[in-house]
Amino acid sequence: VLELPEAPKAQPVPKAGLPVVDSRQGIVLDDASAELTGDWVRSTNFKPFIGTGYVVNGSKDSPGDGKASATFRFQAPKSGEYRLLMAY
């Protein structure tokens, strides 16, 4: 069982539309650190996002085949309960 401190209240999004990663408490896993398999395309069309954008499988003209995957690995700092929040 993993343990994290209570989640902070939502921070206002800066005018540029990009949340500041350093304003989030806890462990932030972003697509930049994911192990990607399959065909992925980098995008910034939908905001807000963390970092410089996000990846999508497929596009308007070429839909994904359902075989792509993104694996996020991390080492918990200590045993306990953790709360997992996900945005996609």
Side-chain angles (χ1 to χ4, degrees), residues 16-20 24 30 43-54:
L18 305 174
V20 179
R24 310 232 184 263
D30 193 31
S43 183
T44 58
N45 290 332
F46 298 102
K47 295 173 180 61
F49 48 78
I50 292 176
T52 60
Y54 53 90

Side-chain angles (χ1 to χ4, degrees), residues 75-87:
Q75 177 136 14
K78 64 180 183 176
S79 296
E81 285 187 21
Y82 285 82
R83 179 177 169 195
L84 173 67
L85 303 175
M86 211 169 127

Side-chain angles (χ1 to χ4, degrees), residues 2-88:
L2 305 173
E3 203 170 82
L4 277 180
E6 187 173 319
K9 293 187 188 249
Q11 299 290 322
V13 176
K15 287 183 180 180
L18 305 174
V20 179
V21 173
D22 294 332
S23 71
R24 310 232 184 263
Q25 291 183 359
I27 301 167
V28 175
L29 302 174
D30 193 31
D31 62 301
S33 64
E35 296 171 18
L36 302 174
T37 61
D39 296 322
W40 293 91
V41 178
R42 184 149 293 281
S43 183
T44 58
N45 290 332
F46 298 102
K47 295 173 180 61
F49 48 78
I50 292 176
T52 60
Y54 53 90
V55 293
V56 295
N57 175 240
S59 68
K60 171 178 78 165
D61 301 322
S62 177
D65 60 10
K67 295 180 182 177
S69 69
T71 303
F72 297 85
R73 299 183 192 279
F74 78 101
Q75 177 136 14
K78 64 180 183 176
S79 296
E81 285 187 21
Y82 285 82
R83 179 177 169 195
L84 173 67
L85 303 175
M86 211 169 127
Y88 56 93

